[in-house]
Amino acid sequence: MAHYPGYTVLRTEDCPEQHGTLTLLTHDVSGAAVLLVENEDVNKAFGIGFGTFPSDDTGVFHILEHSVLAGSEKYPVSSPFVQLLKSSMASFLNAMTFPDKTVYPFATPNETDFCNLMDVYLNAVFCPLAMVDSAVFEQEGWHRDADGTVSGVVYNEMQGALASPDAQLQNALQRAMFPDTAYGFVSGGDPASIPALTYEKYQRVYRRHYSADNCCITLYGKMDMADKLARLDQDYLSKMPKAAARPRLTMQDEQPGAFVELPYYTDQPKPDEVQCALAWYTGAFADRERQLGVEILLGALLSTNSSPLKAALLAEQLGADIDIGFDDSTLQPTLELLLRGATVDSARKFAPAVRKTVDELLKTGIPHDLLLAALNEAEFASLERPGSLPDGVLDAINAATGWLHTGDAALLLHTDKLFAALRNKLEEGWFDTLLRELFAPAPVQVVQIPTAPKTGEAAAPARTDGKLVLEHPLTAADLGAGDTAPQGSAEQLAGATLLRHPSAGSLYLNFYYDLGSITPEELQYLNLLTDVLDELDTPAHTAQQLNTLRSTWLGDSRAQLDLWTGRQEGSPCHAKLSLCLSLLERSLEKAVEIGGEWLYDTVLTGAAAEAAYARVVSQLKLRMEQLFIQQGNEFASTRARAHYYVEGAADEACTGVSYYHFLCGLLEKADWAALGAKLDAVRSRVLQNAALTVSLHGTEDALEKLRTLLPESRFAAARRTPAQPYTQPLTPPVNEAFIIDGGVNYDVLAWPMPRDSRRRVLARVMSYEYLWHTIREVGGAYGTGMLCADGIEFLYTYRDPHLRESYDTFAAAPAALAARDYTARDLDEFIVGTAAKLDTPRKARAAARELDHRYFCGITDEMRTADRKALCSVDAALLKAQAAALSDALSGGVRVAFGSKDAVEAAKDLFDRVETL
């Protein structure tokens, strides 16, 4: 067993799930818990998590999360976190406030960068200047402006976060379930309560919770662990004696049968948009076998519209959709069912309907194949670890969670024995017993009813504006040469182009049908087809049976549209209908069989399909209405991009306001037979005639196997039409504002710009040298930035209290940036931070898809090298010239905003048209 001075090693154990070993330690002086995850992952990660348990709705821990990253004793500058965002090679850099903990993780593939970041993070959390500088509290938390209005970054963020009916419903449900503990409070902060937080209380809460004996530190990846532990000990932990007692969470007496009726204030209350949430407690956090069993049970019974419990509930016609929620990361895990698109009467029937359908299901027992499929799907996900978070960041969050609730930081990092145990219990009827136990108590219930709103109611600064001074600042020399794509092969087989890239481990099989010959209207129908496929039967299987087969044999399976702008001459748009499968190599034959049946044989006409269309289109419309409130900046940028290049126009037609109008039109006509016929015709033409590219990311053996499978599969065709660029007429730019519920705005200003990799540096300077200060720190918006894409650039704000003022700030940006002086050190920071994003480590599935993207778009290693070289050539003169030239681009750009009624009406002269969504 290794020995680390200053620490006591509690245990070391193999961990195949993390492809390495785990070592748990405690620091002798401070009592800090430490977990080492040693493996060969070069994307090294660090995380420090504190137990933080709110006692009110002021959001003090959310404000502290923002505040500690705003200057520290060793790094006494205004925004060290932002300066790290500019200049670090980090693949992940953030902080997160949870209902019971706050975690500060990062990941980077660079050793020097890792040491820099670890020191900045540790100095931030243990030595923040926010404790002696109330200006940080006022900026990040709240302050009162001269006109009496309240503002602040967290205050404005939560105005947006709590604007949606879903967020308000969730908070009410938590209050009802946990009236006496920390989980009953809004950990992010309720805007109505945030101004009650005083600077003095904020300081007291920090000192009680941000102590070394109330933290768990994780070090992950391929690195010298002894060196990192020595740094931790010498620079921080050895100077922090244990506190008298660390804060603790308390247990809540369960509240079965609690009922709350909640209004949701909106200018357009509709009687059929009532929501009803039912929730149950699922047992002890420490019983990981039970909690994993709950996850598998919910996957089997409720994951799709055809799953037995959800299908039975939808058949009661109480509402348009039912969502499930399950949080097993808290001390008292919970599950919930959410009925959307209900009426007051039907919402009150939801709980009895759940009871009835559960009882009916228990009479016959849960189908074995459904449980096995859900278990297989969960196990594959635990191995592949999908999503964008680096594995080390996930481990740091999980380590903090396990440590917090059980004292064991390694608890959540082991899963293989749990799956093995549950496979045995599957044969013993254990899941039927679990279902009976979960739903036996009366649920906690919240009914949310749309309602019209009521009417008629001098000390010296601790921080400087200087630059962050690191001991070992990165330079362009640290960037390396960049990654190169693994050499692949291409051949013609069964009427398709077969690509293969070498890959070990999980196998990725992607089918791409060219859509260059279809119309924009047909593109919308194809997008809808990808949304409804899960709901449709085939001649051989019901939708439920087919979904079960997919979960049993595949890790992930999805149909989607892909839209990419190519690097070929003329910047063509490559549009694809894509079937993407991830699997273990032994399941390749089943993957081809199941994928072919799912894509080709689903029955698109008839009564069953028509019922599915009515259900899914209504569900999609409801979800988009929620997203308008939560992610308005994405819809605004999508709308703006549609005027300038084909990919943008196609994307807007399939994901933006135009698609929402398309769904509304289908609901209004309700001609589901005609819809089925249209989908059938478009699908047939694409699948039978369109050029097909099959991409395999796997071993040579898998390629040999696929060569024998494809000619006999549904994917084979004698003749296909050659691929061609997708085209679509562009509409003239128009300034638009869309009125949404909620008290925040999302402002976008976009303009066309030929592709030039050097402009990514300008975008980084704009984002972190100008917009962050003017829009976020001064203006109080939660997010802002400048983004460059192929053929388009745009400025945006996110959860912004302002609308007109932000557009004024945008207009002043070119002159402000052109007037700045940029030193050699400045340029190094901008270039390093920008270029590092070109090589951000990707997980296996994302890496496979990126290789496919490069293939279709003609992106070569030589192009990427040239992009990097051009980016690294940026100098101060070019930056200033680019900034000055932005003035004309911005003045001719298009404005699109999603915002509150008051803000839009006050700035309506900025827009050519205004629409209420």
Side-chain angles (χ1 to χ4, degrees), residues 640-684:
R641 292 187 296 126
H643 301 297
Y644 296 121
Y645 65 133
V646 175
E647 180 193 330
D651 189 32
E652 203 281 329
C654 295
T655 65
V657 173
S658 292
Y659 190 62
Y660 175 74
H661 290 155
F662 171 71
L663 296 175
C664 292
L666 292 176
L667 284 170
E668 186 176 347
K669 293 176 185 175
D671 190 347
W672 306 119
L675 174 60
K678 178 73 171 180
L679 291 176
D680 204 16
V682 176
R683 178 184 65 170
S684 178

Side-chain angles (χ1 to χ4, degrees), residues 16 33 71 86 181 333 351 356 373 406 426 451 454 511 524 526 537 548 582 590 641 683 755 762 778 845 847 871 911:
K86 289 188 300 186
T181 76
K356 183 185 79 169
T406 68
L426 176 57
T451 307
K454 299 175 182 178
F511 299 82
Q524 289 184 310
L526 279 175
D537 302 335
T548 301
S582 60
K590 275 291 187 181
R641 292 187 296 126
R683 178 184 65 170
R755 190 184 186 285
L762 174 67
V778 176
R845 184 194 302 169
L871 192 154
F911 304 102

Side-chain angles (χ1 to χ4, degrees), residues 435-467:
L435 177 62
R436 183 176 289 107
E437 291 175 356
L438 285 175
F439 290 95
V444 175
Q445 184 171 181
V446 177
V447 176
Q448 184 183 55
I449 303 172
T451 307
K454 299 175 182 178
T455 57
E457 296 187 343
R463 302 176 298 156
T464 74
D465 288 329
K467 293 292 183 181

